[in-house]
Amino acid sequence: MLWVCLHFFDLPLRAVFEESERDGLCAVAEGPRQRQHIFMTNANAQNAGVRPGQPLAAARAICANVQARTRDIATEQRLLKSLAAWAYRFSSQVSIAEPDALLIEVGASLHLFGGWPKLEQRLRKSLARIDYKPSLAVAPIPAAARALAGHGDDYFIDKPDPMLNALGYVPISHSGLTDNSIALLYNVGLRTLRDVFALPRPELARRIGTKEIDLLDRMRGLKSDVLALYEPPSAFNNRIELDDRVEAWPPLLFPLRRLCGELSLFLTARDGGVQHYEIVLDHEDRTTTRVLIELLTPQRDAKALYELARSRLEHAQLSQPVCCIAVFAKDLPELRPRHKDLFEPRREQGLDWPSLIERLRSHLGDTSVRGLSGVADHRPERAWNFDDKSLASPNRVSHSIARLSPRPLWLLRQTIPLRSASTRIVAGPERIESGWWDGADMRRDYYVVQTGEGQRAWAFLASGSKDGWMLHGWFA
Amino acid sequence: MSAVIASALDAVLQHPGIWRRSASARPHVRALSTGNAELDAMLPGGGWPCGAVSEILFEYDGIGELSLLMPALADITQRGQRVVFVTPPYIPYAPALAAHGVDLRYVVQIDANPAEGAWSAEQCLRSGSCGAVLSWLPIADYTLLRRLQLAAESGDALAFVFRPAKAASKTSPAALRLQLHTDAEQTDIEILKCRGNLDRRRPVRLRCHT
């Protein structure tokens, strides 16, 4: 096992200050409302003389334009969680080390990424894209990686002995011990972890408590660490608040494209696809419009998801101005990418069958494109049914349909009286009498009839009667 | 010098898109057998032209306009290619289709209004993932049929367009136009137009005894 620790030291600042504000004099304060003290400052505030630990009033006295905001731990946790979601693409073992660090197991996939230097480059590049610059440390023990990352940047240690050596140089103020223990040890004259490790264990335990001893043991690997691993959420629910009130669908496409991109990333990280997702449009009067998108097969391609959502959105009626757009996906099945033949000839502007069907369905509506199947029933209306399973993949066994007397290729949706001057019976009667068990009882005598125009009709008489021809189909 | 020119010319003439009247009496038309030997004999390629629109004009429902296609559709679906019914006037009756040998797993029906129906037919033809597309287009005009013809060419699919008999007098870009005539006794198939038919002595009317 090899753990990377990413230490996001400025997380409290990021939680309360926007990116554009962080160039100013920023400070984060914490503590009881009446007697807040500075917890963290940015470089500018530091240069102006604001220091962590100062009472807020003192900081304001030193530097009048310092912007101080109360620490927001909930937002910090949320940021860490989103970072964990980001880190999940590098490893399945990601652990959040509160308050401000992430642990990622990379030993298993180091070879895959082409060694640590390459992986490090990738991590840093990917982090820079979302504007984070954490300090990184790699160690075989998670708690040690954590302590090293707190102390400095760019450690890569994959053996226990050099790790112990490096840990020895970590000052106790950065070791992750509680403030009380640090103060106590510092006052005794200890400066680094090496000094602490050298102390006899029972005496140390009596002074700083077993909890701290436990941490020191975990750092050195004397005791195994139990980490709660991050699990990616099982549902996707991202929303974008719109600045303006939007009354038509075209301005919604830009945020929709972004949301579909995020959904696609989310699905890639989960190695899954989505079959049902929803666009939720919030209106000002707290009502919502929901546009459901149902697909035949799971998808995760951002462009396809966007195109399908877009054509559904175009048909949606917006009764009220929209102030927020969200995409919600809960049912995330496994994605099996379709196999393509290596030598399959590629057609220009061609569309494979699943994409074609999805395009038609999204344009015409889900119930407009149907498959057909036969049903084992003697009643003509019930001897067939729509069957949408075959639309996606025709791999099921086809029903064998008993060969009956000739059946017409066209069946009328509703039987109508047969109106024709000169009709001639070609074949029949065929008595169909069935359905007494389910209430749709029928007793009919079917005939093949030829009309004066030469049409062949499938018509029936109620059994026993001689008149009242009803048309049920055409032998087209 | 002249030998070089002649060989270059030969290379050009080898192109499959070029056909010389003198070379052979029959142009090359890729076609799928209609399943009716007499009808096949009347058509230049020996069947329904592939990658082209075939128009079927008829006056009344139920005169065998659909069963004309059944052998071809059975062949297409059994090869695992899709057959799409776009805006059919009635329900394509599954037991009857199956009885004709059509594999129902490859049959798809699309319901839509006329404008969307035309759009769907074009999409299906252009995609190249459908074997045949049958469409009932009462309002089809020359432009629409031309679009379908181009789509069928690019997707290499068979396009069948069913139109009322009164459209027979209008011009059409379809590769093949058939009209069905009927009286109380029998149905006749008349070939109104057939791309590649240069033999004027060939019969254009086929009696189908019912």
Side-chain angles (χ1 to χ4, degrees), chain B residues 34-138:
Chain B
T34 61
N36 179 337
E38 291 174 67
L39 185 57
D40 281 354
M42 287 164 65
L43 299 172
W48 304 113
C50 295
V53 172
S54 303
E55 237 182 286
I56 294 161
L57 306 155
F58 64 104
E59 196 161 357
Y60 300 107
D61 292 318
I63 55 172
E65 70 274 15
L66 197 54
S67 45
L68 198 59
L69 304 184
M70 280 303 139
L73 297 191
D75 187 23
I76 291 168
T77 53
Q78 279 164 16
R79 277 188 275 131
Q81 290 182 309
R82 311 274 175 166
V83 168
V84 185
F85 285 70
V86 181
T87 59
Y90 305 105
I91 302 164
Y93 194 41
L97 290 171
H100 277 99
V102 174
D103 190 337
L104 290 174
R105 295 176 297 167
Y106 296 97
V107 176
V108 175
Q109 180 196 328
I110 296 177
D111 285 322
N113 64 39
E116 284 176 340
W119 175 84
S120 313
E122 194 189 338
Q123 292 292 319
C124 292
L125 286 169
R126 197 178 293 283
S127 74
S129 51
C130 299
V133 177
L134 285 66
S135 41
W136 282 262
L137 302 170

Side-chain angles (χ1 to χ4, degrees), chain A residues 315 347 349-353 356-357 359-360 363-364 367-374 379-381 383-386 390-398 401 403-404 407-413 424 450-456 458 474-476, chain B residues 60-68 70 82 84-85 88-101 103-112 116-117 119-121 123-124 126-130 136 154-155 182-187 210:
Chain A
H315 290 282
R347 290 175 301 265
Q349 7 167 270
L351 209 58
D352 53 15
W353 177 254
L356 170 68
I357 275 293
R359 177 184 283 189
L360 291 171
H363 193 87
L364 303 173
T367 55
S368 296
V369 185
R370 315 298 297 263
L372 295 173
S373 75
R379 285 164 289 182
E381 300 91 330
W384 73 284
N385 208 343
F386 288 126
S390 62
L391 285 182
S393 59
N395 292 330
R396 79 197 150 83
V397 185
S398 82
I401 292 170
R403 278 194 168 265
L404 305 159
R407 289 284 180 264
L409 280 167
W410 285 143
L411 192 74
L412 269 58
R413 291 184 176 86
R424 180 167 67 84
Q450 182 146 19
T451 67
E453 287 82 26
Q455 299 164 283
R456 289 211 161 195
W458 203 44
W474 293 113
F475 287 88
Chain B
Y60 300 107
D61 292 318
I63 55 172
E65 70 274 15
L66 197 54
S67 45
L68 198 59
M70 280 303 139
R82 311 274 175 166
V84 185
F85 285 70
Y90 305 105
I91 302 164
Y93 194 41
L97 290 171
H100 277 99
D103 190 337
L104 290 174
R105 295 176 297 167
Y106 296 97
V107 176
V108 175
Q109 180 196 328
I110 296 177
D111 285 322
E116 284 176 340
W119 175 84
S120 313
Q123 292 292 319
C124 292
R126 197 178 293 283
S127 74
S129 51
C130 299
W136 282 262
S154 80
T182 179
D183 54 37
E185 299 303 316
Q186 62 202 13
T187 303
T210 51

